[in-house]
Amino acid sequence: MYQAKITFSSLSDSSTTSASLDQAESEASSTQAACNCQGCKDINIPFQPQLSAVKDERPILTRWYELYPWITVCSENRKIFCYLCRAAKANNLLSVTPTRKYQPAFVEDGFNNFKKAIDRFRAHEDSNMHKEVVLKRSTGVRVDTLLSTQLATDQLYHRTMLMKLLSTIKFLVRQGLPLRGKHDGDDPEGNLAQLLLLRAEEDKKMLRWLKQRDYLSPEIVNEIITKMGQFVLRDILSHVKESRFYSILADEATDVSHQEQMCLSVRWIDEDLNVHEDGLGLFQLPDTKACTVFSAIKDILIRCTLPLCSIRGQAYDGASTMSGIRNGVQALMKSEVPEALYVHCLAHNLNLVLKDVTNKSELVRNVMDFIYNLVQLIRFSPKRLSLFDSLRKDIALQGDGSTPSLRVLCPTRWTVRHTAINSILRNYQVLIDALEIIQKGHDEYAAKANGLLGRMECFDTYFALKLAYLVFSASEQLSINLQAVDLTIQEATTGASLLASHLKALRTESKFDQFYSSVCEESKHFTEEPKLPRQRKLPKRYNTGSTAHQYTDPKSRFRRAYYEVLELAGGEIDRRFDQKDMKIIKEIEILLLNAANGRPYDIEILPPSVKSFLEKDFDLKRLCTHLALVADMVKQATPQVTTVTNIRTIAQAINSNHIYKKMLSEVFMLLSLYFTFPVTTASAERSFSALRRLKTFLRSTMTECRLNNLFLLYVHKHRTDRIDLLAIAKDFISVNSRRQRYFGEF
């Protein structure tokens, strides 16, 4: 059966008047009356006879009937008609407009220019009139109705494909995967194109859409990513604005393209006193001056419509740009918002404690350099690393147990260095064996291995490793806890004081004797006996008349180093965790705990700095009245608690009943203020791990807008999962009228 290839275009209304109907009927009857051959009598079926040739005329070839089944022949006049178009005109099925005219040669007059027969046949088949007739004969419906139905079908198909595109992009950005490959041409290599092709295996209709490549350009993809990123950002800001107070956390890092990126996060409290820290994005800085960073932070908050007057805390690192008391970022922020209390990140402070201990203790400093050189020698050579691994596996097969691989010293987080120290201690014998083999070589690394081997056979090295591990491993657990999002000042200072107390408790003669004995027992198989270093005589020009202290035995020398390291660590913790603005929060903490335990309290005797801090947000008399009810509320909500020692107990009590929040509104707001105060910038620093995964060497040219939106969608995965793709699609379609015609309405 003959089928024509159909394309659709805009058609005018094909309704006709009764006069035109009468005219068409009269023309059809006159055409039929003009000839009495079989082809003209019955115009609804083709008449395709084999006519004999006539002298001086081109014949009608029978093979034309197979190629063009619509041909019907007038045998008397030797002319060709299109029986489809001829019957359609007789039945008034043609939509004739000034731009859509039927061809009289195949409808009324007949075609007999057989010299150009094939070209004219093809032109007629491709004409809109012929296609319209074929379509109408197959459906029996008017073209305008068919086009309307077809348009609605196409728009539904386009909307379906758009939703699949949105869901595919959402998956890729949530996982932090690149969307485009090396090039997106006829042979796409990107993840987006390949994932769409994979989905097309289940839905064959997608193949046609992918071949057309409609709305798959990089500009369209970037627009969709931007709309998704804006959805996540609006979701974050809507929750932050519901909270009365918020704090800001900021940190900077350099990306792979050597651009300075600042991550700004906000800490806010919801109606159930749960703590949230959400990143607002990455922002490129032209320089790291305090005024530049402050202007960037202020501009970001204004663009996000977050009022500066609601800031109650700010947390940065200890760089002078951020922490300067006169021209630092925290000072500039306080000049506009005096209530924005500043805290130097406590996790960063703990790192600085260990760094100071390392720098001030000669024994620990030297052993850190030793670890760095040893790991560099072994790990960064495939040949030497293979030797080390084979020796380590041999020892494991002998039944001595498996040992960890060598770990590199972390350049930023000092507390993590205990894993590198532990890997050296656990593989001490393996490293000695490996260095003995390496030193037999004839290259420059043989000399280095010989020097490191001499260090490993020295008791000082093993003692320093054990001492460093003692301090660093004890600090690691505090570092992990300090990185918790919902950590409070009370919990942070309690953990710091616990660590300081632990280190000070180790500063006893019995603890040292126990430690020294265990080190001597473990090292007797690896190192030589402990001994005193050779005393050096000072030159006369440096001789001041006093003699240097001389140790009587090796143990006294190591005792001094042991006490020195523990004293430095404990003292640095006490000093660095006692910050000026933290005292205000501690006074609020004492006020709440005294009220919860029924102990006397008086707001009037609070330090002036605390009173001035509270007066802006609280009615102090009303707050005093509400504090008087806290003890009874805690007893009712938590009768099993006899003494309140943690602020979280008060928060759990006030959350247990909604009426408590209304009756003790000032206390609830004071708790919100207390939990809003930041402790660390760990959430901002974690964002740089996401930055390293998103902006890699192969993706280093992406724009700041694209990077920022990818960051929001990747970091806030739980919010990305809640993206309303239907709302994104509607917003995307509403941009211009062309998209509205192409996709229609949802």
Side-chain angles (χ1 to χ4, degrees):
M1 185 177 187
Y2 172 71
Q3 292 181 347
K5 184 179 177 181
I6 301 170
T7 58
F8 297 99
S9 60
S10 300
L11 297 178
S12 302
D13 189 5
S14 60
S15 61
T16 57
T17 60
S18 59
S20 61
L21 291 174
D22 295 339
Q23 181 182 359
E25 292 176 356
S26 61
E27 289 178 353
S29 59
S30 63
T31 302
Q32 297 173 16
C35 181
N36 293 321
C37 71
Q38 185 176 348
C40 296
K41 286 182 179 179
D42 190 356
I43 63 175
N44 292 314
I45 58 174
F47 176 63
Q48 300 173 345
Q50 294 184 358
L51 300 179
S52 58
V54 178
K55 186 178 180 180
D56 297 332
E57 290 187 10
R58 293 180 179 270
I60 298 177
L61 304 180
T62 55
R63 60 185 177 87
W64 292 348
Y65 301 155
E66 297 179 1
L67 296 175
Y68 307 101
W70 45 264
I71 290 177
T72 187
V73 178
C74 175
S75 56
E76 290 188 5
N77 298 318
R78 301 181 66 84
K79 292 184 178 181
I80 293 177
F81 294 87
C82 174
Y83 86 93
L84 296 174
C85 298
R86 200 177 186 188
K89 185 177 184 302
N91 296 317
N92 192 35
L93 291 177
L94 294 179
S95 300
V96 181
T97 65
T99 59
R100 177 188 291 271
K101 299 180 180 180
Y102 65 85
Q103 297 171 316
F106 290 97
V107 178
E108 294 178 348
D109 301 337
F111 174 76
N112 60 358
N113 186 11
F114 300 142
K115 182 178 180 180
K116 300 180 179 180
I118 299 299
D119 293 337
R120 296 296 300 274
F121 293 162
R122 290 174 180 173
H124 178 71
E125 273 194 341
D126 289 336
S127 66
N128 290 331
M129 179 189 69
H130 185 80
K131 292 176 181 178
E132 177 186 346
V133 171
V134 173
L135 181 62
K136 284 186 176 182
R137 286 180 64 88
S138 62
T139 60
V141 183
R142 297 184 64 85
V143 170
D144 53 354
T145 305
L146 281 174
L147 290 177
S148 178
T149 304
Q150 186 63 36
L151 179 62
T153 303
D154 289 345
Q155 289 177 341
L156 176 61
Y157 166 74
H158 295 154
R159 292 195 299 270
T160 304
M161 295 302 103
L162 177 62
M163 295 302 294
K164 291 188 177 184
L165 174 63
L166 294 179
S167 62
T168 305
I169 293 176
K170 175 183 171 182
F171 167 77
L172 291 172
V173 298
R174 184 192 184 278
Q175 300 303 115
L177 299 174
L179 277 74
R180 297 197 295 271
K182 184 177 181 180
H183 53 79
D184 280 344
D186 296 334
D187 184 22
E189 298 178 358
N191 289 334
L192 176 59
Q194 290 299 318
L195 190 53
L196 289 172
L197 287 173
L198 181 63
R199 298 186 67 179
E201 293 180 1
E202 299 178 356
D203 186 357
K204 300 301 181 182
K205 295 180 180 179
M206 287 186 66
L207 290 175
R208 176 165 61 90
W209 179 64
L210 293 176
K211 290 179 180 178
Q212 295 174 350
R213 298 195 61 79
D214 290 338
Y215 294 94
L216 290 175
S217 66
E219 293 76 13
I220 293 296
V221 173
N222 284 338
E223 181 182 349
I224 292 173
I225 293 174
T226 300
K227 292 184 181 299
M228 290 184 176
Q230 291 173 349
F231 182 93
V232 171
L233 183 59
R234 285 194 296 266
D235 186 31
I236 295 172
L237 296 177
S238 65
H239 289 88
V240 176
K241 291 174 184 177
E242 293 176 357
S243 178
R244 180 161 184 176
F245 312 113
Y246 69 92
S247 296
I248 57 175
L249 321 170
D251 202 1
E252 304 94 29
T254 304
D255 61 24
V256 69
S257 59
H258 308 290
Q259 301 293 332
E260 189 71 19
Q261 300 284 353
M262 180 185 70
C263 177
L264 183 66
S265 301
V266 292
R267 180 183 174 104
W268 56 280
I269 313 300
D270 62 20
E271 59 182 7
D272 294 325
L273 297 178
N274 297 317
V275 181
H276 303 269
E277 290 183 358
D278 294 314
L280 298 182
L282 296 168
F283 308 94
Q284 186 174 321
L285 298 174
D287 56 66
T288 55
K289 296 179 181 178
C291 57
T292 304
V293 177
F294 173 69
S295 299
I297 293 175
K298 185 177 178 181
D299 180 65
I300 293 165
L301 296 177
I302 291 175
R303 288 176 182 272
C304 293
T305 65
L306 294 177
L308 295 179
C309 60
S310 297
I311 300 176
R312 291 298 176 269
Q314 48 180 332
Y316 316 117
D317 58 24
S320 59
T321 298
M322 310 300 292
S323 62
I325 60 175
R326 291 182 177 84
N327 297 317
V329 174
Q330 65 96 7
L332 296 175
M333 182 63 72
K334 281 187 174 181
S335 65
E336 294 205 13
V337 188
E339 297 80 16
L341 303 180
Y342 166 68
V343 60
H344 178 192
C345 172
L346 297 185
H348 188 250
N349 272 309
L350 183 59
N351 276 341
L352 293 178
V353 167
L354 298 180
K355 184 178 180 181
D356 290 342
V357 169
T358 301
N359 292 336
K360 294 178 181 179
S361 171
E362 181 182 1
L363 204 63
V364 178
R365 183 175 64 252
N366 291 339
V367 81
M368 287 298 171
D369 291 337
F370 163 76
I371 294 173
Y372 176 80
N373 292 326
L374 180 61
V375 174
Q376 286 281 334
L377 179 68
I378 301 295
R379 276 188 63 93
F380 294 94
S381 168
K383 179 180 177 180
R384 293 188 288 273
L385 182 60
S386 176
L387 171 64
F388 169 78
D389 288 336
S390 63
L391 292 174
R392 185 164 59 91
K393 292 177 182 178
D394 291 342
I395 291 180
L397 292 175
Q398 293 174 6
D400 294 338
S402 61
T403 56
S405 61
L406 284 183
R407 303 295 179 86
V408 181
L409 289 174
C410 181
T412 54
R413 292 182 57 195
W414 283 69
T415 56
V416 181
R417 294 190 171 195
H418 81 281
T419 58
I421 300 172
N422 185 48
S423 67
I424 300 292
L425 291 171
R426 296 279 301 277
N427 292 289
Y428 212 85
Q429 184 60 54
V430 179
L431 289 168
I432 291 176
D433 297 340
L435 292 174
E436 288 177 347
I437 298 174
I438 297 172
Q439 73 169 347
K440 295 178 182 179
H442 302 285
D443 53 9
E444 58 178 316
Y445 299 106
K448 292 183 179 180
N450 186 43
L452 292 172
L453 181 61
R455 294 280 302 274
M456 292 199 71
E457 293 175 348
C458 181
F459 179 81
D460 291 31
T461 301
Y462 196 84
F463 181 87
L465 286 170
K466 295 292 288 187
L467 181 58
Y469 183 76
L470 177 68
V471 177
F472 280 61
S473 60
S475 305
E476 171 62 9
Q477 191 57 47
L478 176 60
S479 176
I480 294 174
N481 292 332
L482 287 176
Q483 297 174 45
V485 172
D486 59 346
L487 193 71
T488 64
I489 288 295
Q490 180 190 22
E491 294 165 344
T493 54
T494 300
S497 62
L498 176 62
L499 176 60
S501 300
H502 169 69
L503 295 176
K504 291 176 181 178
L506 295 175
R507 293 180 64 253
T508 62
E509 193 64 27
S510 61
K511 292 291 184 182
F512 170 73
D513 290 339
Q514 182 181 355
F515 177 78
Y516 186 76
S517 300
S518 64
V519 173
C520 291
E521 181 65 25
E522 293 176 11
S523 65
K524 64 182 181 180
H525 303 294
F526 311 130
T527 68
E528 58 189 15
E529 292 292 327
K531 60 182 180 180
L532 291 173
R534 182 175 64 85
Q535 294 292 329
R536 294 185 178 182
K537 185 178 180 180
L538 291 175
K540 290 184 178 181
R541 63 180 180 273
Y542 295 136
N543 193 352
T544 59
S546 60
T547 58
H549 175 73
Q550 296 183 358
Y551 298 102
T552 57
D553 58 345
K555 185 175 181 180
S556 60
R557 173 172 171 262
F558 290 110
R559 179 186 291 108
R560 178 183 176 183
Y562 176 85
Y563 277 83
E564 179 187 22
V565 170
L566 295 178
E567 179 66 25
L568 284 171
E572 286 296 317
I573 290 174
D574 291 338
R575 181 178 70 86
R576 290 187 175 277
F577 280 75
D578 185 21
Q579 301 182 27
K580 178 181 176 182
D581 287 351
M582 285 173 56
K583 296 178 181 179
I584 297 177
I585 300 300
K586 289 180 179 179
E587 289 291 340
I588 296 175
E589 174 189 315
I590 294 172
L591 180 66
L592 287 168
L593 291 177
N594 286 339
N597 289 305
R599 291 194 290 263
Y601 60 89
D602 190 355
I603 295 181
E604 298 300 327
I605 64 174
L606 288 173
S609 59
V610 181
K611 286 186 63 178
S612 62
F613 178 74
L614 294 176
E615 282 175 348
K616 180 177 180 179
D617 301 312
F618 299 90
D619 182 346
L620 296 185
K621 292 184 179 180
R622 192 161 180 257
L623 175 61
C624 188
T625 302
H626 289 185
L627 286 172
L629 303 174
V630 172
D632 294 329
M633 177 200 68
V634 172
K635 289 180 181 179
Q636 287 185 4
T638 57
Q640 70 279 7
V641 177
T642 57
T643 303
V644 179
T645 58
N646 196 311
I647 299 296
R648 293 191 186 277
T649 305
I650 307 175
Q652 292 172 1
I654 204 169
N655 271 329
S656 62
N657 196 322
H658 188 67
I659 193 64
Y660 293 154
K661 297 179 182 180
K662 293 184 176 180
M663 291 183 62
L664 308 178
S665 58
E666 295 291 314
V667 174
F668 180 79
M669 190 163 62
L670 186 60
L671 286 169
S672 298
L673 176 62
Y674 177 81
F675 286 118
T676 301
F677 192 68
V679 178
T680 67
T681 59
S683 60
E685 292 176 2
R686 275 193 291 268
S687 301
F688 298 129
S689 299
L691 172 62
R692 284 192 293 271
R693 288 189 287 270
L694 291 174
K695 193 170 184 179
T696 62
F697 175 77
L698 296 177
R699 305 172 69 189
S700 59
T701 59
M702 71 171 66
T703 63
E704 190 69 14
C705 178
R706 181 183 173 92
L707 174 62
N708 201 30
N709 288 304
L710 290 176
F711 169 83
L712 288 171
L713 294 165
Y714 178 64
V715 172
H716 304 288
K717 290 183 175 158
H718 62 289
R719 299 185 187 277
T720 304
D721 292 335
R722 297 202 300 263
I723 288 180
D724 186 358
L725 294 182
L726 184 60
I728 298 293
K730 290 180 178 179
D731 187 21
F732 177 79
I733 294 173
S734 64
V735 170
N736 55 50
S737 58
R738 181 182 182 277
R739 295 182 186 178
Q740 294 171 7
R741 290 193 301 269
Y742 187 79
F743 294 103
E745 296 182 357
F746 278 94

